[in-house]
Structure formats: C-alpha cells, structure tokens
Amino acid sequence: MTDVVTMDKIVALCKRRGFIFPSSEIYGGVGSTYDYGHYGVLLKTNVKNEWWRAMVGERDDVVALDSAIIQHPKVWEASGHLAGFTDPLVDCRTCKLRFRADHIDVSACGKKPSKHPGEHSECDLTEARDFNLMFETTVGPVKEEGATVYLRPETAQGIFINFKNVLQFSRKKPPFGIAQVGKSFRNEITPGNFVFRTREFEQMEMEFFVPPAEAERWFAYWLAERERWYTELGIRPDHLRMRAHDADELSHYSSGTSDVEYRFPIGWSELEGIANRGDFDLKAHAEHARDKLEYVDTASGERYVPHVIEPAAGADRATLAFLVDAYDEEELENETRTVLRLHPRLAPVKVAVLPLVKKDGQPEVAKELYADLRRRMQAEYDEGGSIGKRYRRQDEIGTPWGVTVDHQTLEDRTVTLRDRDSLAQERFPIDALGDELERRLRAAWTSPKLAA
Ligand code: ATP
C-alpha cells in the first residue's frame, strides 16, 4: 500500500465530511482560522480525552487544572513573553508581503513565487524587526483607561502561577505534575498548512515538578512516555521521531529539549516539545510576585525550588497527524474507497447500525440495537441509500465497525459485523455485541497500514 495522502486530500475530506472547515466562511473567511464540525469535534475530543487518560486518569502523580485565558499582565513579564516572545519579521516594500526572517529560505517571493524573498531584482526587503506574537486587548469599560492584557500564548504559565495553590490543596509532593488543556493564541506571522499552524489553537501541556537531582531522569522518562502515547494510538513508528534540539536552538532556560516530530506530507514537523526547564519559571514568578514558590518537606525541613519537565503538545496538530496517518485509499469494485484507519478509540463514531432494507421490521430491530449501543459508545444509525453507500460514508469518517440488520436477524437475532479495515464480515449474536465492541475498544491496536 503506497501512502497516497496529501494535505489537499485531508483538507478536502475534512470539508466534505464536516470535520474542519474555514471559519467565517459566509463573510469570506478569516485567514488561517478554522471551525470544527460534528466529526471534527468528536475526533479532537477523543484526542484530548486520551491525553487526559494517559496524563491524569491512569496516574497518581498528576492533577488537572483549568486556568484563565486572560491573566495578570505581569505573568507575561515574568515569563519573558513580553520581552522575548517575538519572531523576526521582514517586509518587502515592493510586494507588501511580510515574512519571518528565519523562514526566508522556505518562503516564496511575492513577484516571482519560484524564488525566495530577496532573490528577485525587484525585491526590496526591510531589516528584520521583532514582532511580538501575543494578542493584546484591554480590560475595563473604557479602552483608553483600561489595563492592557494579553490572550495567553501558552497554557503553561497558568500552571506555574498556580503551583502554590495546587501544592496546598492536592497533597502532592515532587515528583508531581499539573496538566492543562485549553486554547492559546499567537499572532503568527505565517500561519498555514491547515490546522498545523493557526492563530488560535488548543494545547495539552503538563508541568512535572521534580527534585533538582532527578530532572535528567524524568526528562528521559517523559520523552519515552510521550513517544509511546502517539504510537499506542496508532501513529506508525516510522512516521514519528524524536529530535533533540541543538545547543543554539535551546531556549535560554532549557537544559534540554526534544521535539516529537511527525512526517507530515509537508515534511517532518513538530507535534510536541518536551523541555527540561530547570527552575526558571518558578524562580521568575517568585521574583516578580515577591512570593516563595518552593517545596518544603515538613518532615525533614528540606526546601528547594523544583525543576520542571514540560511535555507541551498541540491538540489540533495531533488531530491533524492522526488524520494524515489514518488516511487511505483502495480500489474496491472499480471504485476508490477512501477510509480513515483511525485507532478505534479515536474514531469519531465507533459503530454504525444499518438496516439492510427500510422495511420488513428491520429498521425497528436496528433502532432498538442502536438505542442499546449508543448508551455505551458513540454510535450512528443510518437507513438512507444503498448499503454500499452507507458503508462508504462510515469508512470516510473512520467508523471501525458496521452492524447490519437483515432478514436473518429477525429469525435468529444475529447481525453482520463488518470490520472497516479487513472488510471481513461475520455473523454475531445481537445480545453479545455491546460487550464485544467494548472489549475491542479496550484492546491494543496497530495501524493496518503497517502490515501493508
Ligand atoms: P512552532 O515551532 O511550530 O511554532 P513552538 O515550538 O513555538 O511551535 P511550543 O511553544 O513548544 O511550540 O508549543 C507546544 C505545542 O503547541 C507545539 O508543539 C504545537 O503542537 C502546538 N502549537 C504551537 N503553536 C501552534 C500554532 N500556531 N498552531 C497550532 N498548534 C500550535
């Protein structure tokens, strides 16, 4: 099986089936902003739920948090975002386009797109200027008198400023973590590649606080854990790699960062960054807030500022990677079958219940089965169109199982259970179906694209 996926095919499928579409379309859209429709919401919710399950549900040492998007402006002073969260920007006076100075070699000249900015005789580039990526707004009824605040560009700082609260209420001691999922905003100069880089996106971040001497060990631990998360959810291992930052790429506070990268059709690109942030953040906030952000062991009296290991992932990027990795086409009965070979736990709909014909008592039995199944998992009932068409519709949204009620069902209470990937069909007793599908949902899974 060759990998047929392209970004254009993903964008088209997402639009066609209402996963993700351009925002404000009736007004002509706003650049690089997207809305998620029904299946997109279900898929991204599953991605986030799997993250919560791995980070919090199945552990004893991580707790959840949901901090505000608008925080005290001093947060961003302390974190260094006000001064340093900038991209170097270059304008072209001729074509009026704006480029990231560090992306010139992958940008196209406005006059002659086959060349890079600066390479055409008419290019007239300005010097690079720093451009802060934070969105600014004001709180208070009168704009002029209000205080300037920022939409958070990452969720992480909301965790650091709550370190003391959590320490007090959660009865945790290092090593322990605080996890958060939520929207972040960055006024990206060159957004693009669908939901890979947008100005409004969701992050899934966890700050893991450890005794300083254990930082290296936990850094290695989280690298392995995060890699495992993606592969267990079906990402093909040969499409995933860990890339350690070179010394000149490292943030000033980081003693080690590795990116989890996925091989998108646009090339290897970051899905998640895992950083050993040392004690930079807690110390910076302690200083700016004139407070103590440290751990004190009540038994030994020992006190220290914990070091922090941060796995920072993007929910939209992960969703895109799962879609890309799952996308497949195959020739079937002289037609191209488009199928999303998603991990069943990520699939927006787990099971479709289909009466073979819309008569002879079949819809009634099918609806009864549907009512039972949908209490246990996301299910869909569909009686419109030929059975082949209905299967194709489910294949396109990645539904792993199709259940068909036919004339035999009315005789022996068995149904046909169809597998999305192998297309195998087996007769299955209706009364055991719910338990069986729940068992399959819990089972380990690997992408059938791997075997091909
Ligand atoms: P990049 O280098 O791609 O701009 P980054 O290194 O600035 O990303 P982080 O600050 O480490 O990103 O954020 C953690 C994660 O949040 C990223 O790995 C990515 O998954 C997600 N993310 C960051 N910026 C965006 C964006 N503009 N659109 C969508 N997701 C984003």
Side-chain angles (χ1 to χ4, degrees), residues 81 85 87 100 103 133 153-154 184-186 188 191-192 194-205 230 245 253 257 259-260 269-274 277 310-318:
H81 282 82
F85 193 52
D87 276 342
R100 258 175 75 167
H103 283 184
L133 301 183
E154 61 174 35
S184 292
F185 304 82
R186 296 182 187 179
E188 301 274 6
F194 199 33
V195 292
F196 180 83
R197 188 182 304 285
T198 51
R199 296 198 171 97
E200 176 179 341
F201 53 96
E202 268 186 292
Q203 291 189 304
M204 309 185 287
E205 298 194 292
Y230 290 100
H245 280 203
Y253 51 76
T257 297
D259 288 344
V260 183
S269 311
E270 172 182 336
L271 276 184
E272 168 162 354
I274 301 157
R277 299 176 69 107
E310 173 194 78
D316 308 88
R317 271 193 204 174

Side-chain angles (χ1 to χ4, degrees), residues 300-435:
S300 68
E302 184 198 7
R303 59 174 65 216
Y304 61 86
V305 179
H307 282 207
V308 174
I309 311 300
E310 173 194 78
D316 308 88
R317 271 193 204 174
T319 301
L320 183 61
F322 287 120
L323 276 170
V324 166
D325 210 66
Y327 185 94
D328 209 357
E329 290 172 359
E330 66 183 1
E331 289 307 313
L332 206 70
E333 294 154 13
N334 296 326
E335 258 185 57
T336 305
R337 174 173 94 115
T338 302
V339 52
L340 288 184
R341 303 190 191 280
L342 286 166
H343 190 299
R345 283 214 302 274
L346 294 182
V349 176
K350 315 301 179 195
V351 58
V353 183
L354 320 165
L356 187 62
V357 292
K358 225 158 59 176
K359 54 182 187 183
D360 302 336
Q362 291 181 22
E364 288 74 10
V365 178
K367 278 182 187 162
E368 210 178 293
L369 175 62
Y370 168 61
D372 171 43
L373 289 176
R374 78 172 179 191
R375 278 202 303 267
R376 301 168 177 244
M377 61 192 72
Q378 193 71 37
E380 204 164 280
Y381 175 81
D382 187 3
E383 58 176 30
S386 75
I387 191 75
K389 274 222 177 75
R390 282 179 276 161
Y391 281 149
R392 295 292 178 282
R393 280 207 285 268
Q394 295 299 331
D395 289 341
E396 262 199 340
I397 61 164
T399 307
W401 303 295
V403 174
T404 308
V405 170
D406 53 20
H407 63 278
Q408 195 182 328
T409 311
L410 294 127
E411 287 161 18
D412 64 4
R413 286 191 68 77
T414 64
V415 287
T416 306
L417 177 57
R418 172 187 182 267
D419 182 273
R420 173 196 70 198
D421 298 318
S422 68
L423 295 175
Q425 304 205 13
E426 55 182 317
R427 293 301 299 186
F428 211 87
I430 219 170
D431 300 318
L433 197 65
D435 286 349

